[in-house]
Every structure is written in structure tokens, then in C-alpha cells.
Amino acid sequence: ATKDKADAKRSQIYTKIGREIAVAVKLSGTDINTNSKLYDVVQKTKRNNIMKSFIGTGVALITPFKNDSSVDVEALRRIVKYNIEGGVEYLVVLGTTAETATLTKEEQTLVKQTIVAENNGKLPLVLGVGGNNTMDVVSQLNSDNLKGFDAILSVSPYYNKPTQEGR
């Protein structure tokens, strides 16, 4: 019974997130049936019932840095390998734990490519996307290479607190 309740809760959360992404995609004017990247992710999810792949322990990966503040690719490879060998069921790439908000687009691409290559299809991968501008998130989803990722984790837009003057 507990497992059924957990599955039902996961399904509710997934449905809510799916609706939010669908609304954002619609607002952007993107036709999901003609946007091959988004269409492929949606179809893959439907075809494989991919949510069943995300039961168990998932690890939100960090982004390791060298002393010169550049991404430490070798350390990142070791982290991915360590988690795979440790028996986790899936990996979350570029979530908030990965310091994503502080990475340049080039560094984000490097992190994604490194993890996809090191994982080599062994575990399902979840790609974190988000920001405080929904249209930018949709644009990112439209333009990013999603190959190697099984799902998208989209954080709700951040809250921007205005001043007392409303600015």
C-alpha cells in the first residue's frame, strides 16, 4: 500500500510538472509536434514509460572545479563512475546542486557532454533546466542537445522580490 501511495504521488507530481512545461511550450508558440527535440523527448517518455526508470536512488551530481575555477572534467568523470559503481538508479545532471546558475553556457555544455559520455547509457539521465524566465527555459529546451537524456527536471521559476517601490 505504501508503494502504491508513493507511485500515485509521483504520478501527481509528474502530471503537474508536465502541465507546467506544456503551458510554457504553448506560450512560446512552439508546436511540440513540429519541434523534433521536444517531440522526441515526449515520445520517448510515452513509449518507454520512462517514469518507472526513476524509482529508487537518484544522485544530483555536483560540478567539481580546479583551483583556477575551471570545470574539473577528470574529477567529474570519476564522480559519475563512482555513482554508477555504487548502484544508484539514475543521475541528475545540472540541477541546483551542480552550481548550474554560476556556470557559463559553455561550461554547462562541457558538463553535459562529459556526463553523457562517461555514463554511456548505463543509467537514465535527468537534465535539470530552469531559471526565473520561463520563456528562456523553453528556448533552452528548444535549442539544447537532449541526446543521452531520458527526462527533464524543470525547477519552478525563481521568485524575484521587488523593492517597496515595486521595482
Side-chain angles (χ1 to χ4, degrees):
T2 305
K3 184 179 182 310
D4 291 339
K5 285 182 183 178
D7 288 345
K9 184 66 174 172
R10 266 193 288 281
S11 180
Q12 288 174 335
I13 292 168
Y14 176 69
T15 300
K16 183 176 187 255
I17 292 169
R19 271 192 243 123
E20 290 172 3
I21 291 173
V23 168
V25 168
K26 186 173 184 175
L27 289 173
S28 75
T30 300
D31 179 359
I32 198 162
N33 294 311
T34 60
N35 182 296
S36 62
K37 290 179 184 179
L38 286 176
Y39 183 81
D40 288 348
V41 170
V42 170
Q43 293 308 311
K44 181 178 181 183
T45 300
K46 287 179 181 175
R47 200 171 45 247
N48 297 331
N49 195 6
I50 203 74
M51 287 309 292
K52 289 186 177 178
S53 298
F54 301 111
I55 294 173
T57 303
V59 172
L61 298 170
I62 64 166
T63 302
F65 296 95
K66 295 180 182 177
N67 288 336
D68 66 1
S69 297
S70 64
V71 174
D72 189 336
V73 173
E74 290 307 313
L76 183 56
R77 286 186 180 121
R78 288 191 305 271
I79 291 167
V80 171
K81 184 176 180 181
Y82 176 83
N83 280 282
I84 292 169
E85 290 173 355
V88 302
E89 280 82 19
Y90 63 94
L91 300 172
V92 179
V93 180
L94 293 179
T96 55
T97 304
E99 304 293 339
T100 305
T102 65
L103 298 175
T104 66
K105 294 295 180 197
E106 293 79 16
E107 289 171 325
Q108 290 179 20
T109 299
L110 176 63
V111 168
K112 285 189 293 190
Q113 290 172 342
T114 302
I115 293 170
V116 167
E118 187 63 34
N119 181 58
N120 197 26
K122 294 177 185 91
L123 296 177
L125 296 178
V126 179
L127 176 63
V129 295
N132 59 353
N133 182 325
T134 303
M135 301 314 256
D136 282 347
V137 172
V138 171
S139 177
Q140 179 183 350
L141 287 169
N142 284 326
S143 63
D144 276 6
N145 179 359
L146 302 175
K147 185 173 182 171
F149 292 96
D150 300 285
I152 297 166
L153 173 66
S154 181
V155 65
S156 297
Y158 310 140
Y159 175 71
N160 294 320
K161 185 176 179 183
T163 65
Q164 287 297 320
E165 296 79 27
R167 294 182 220 147

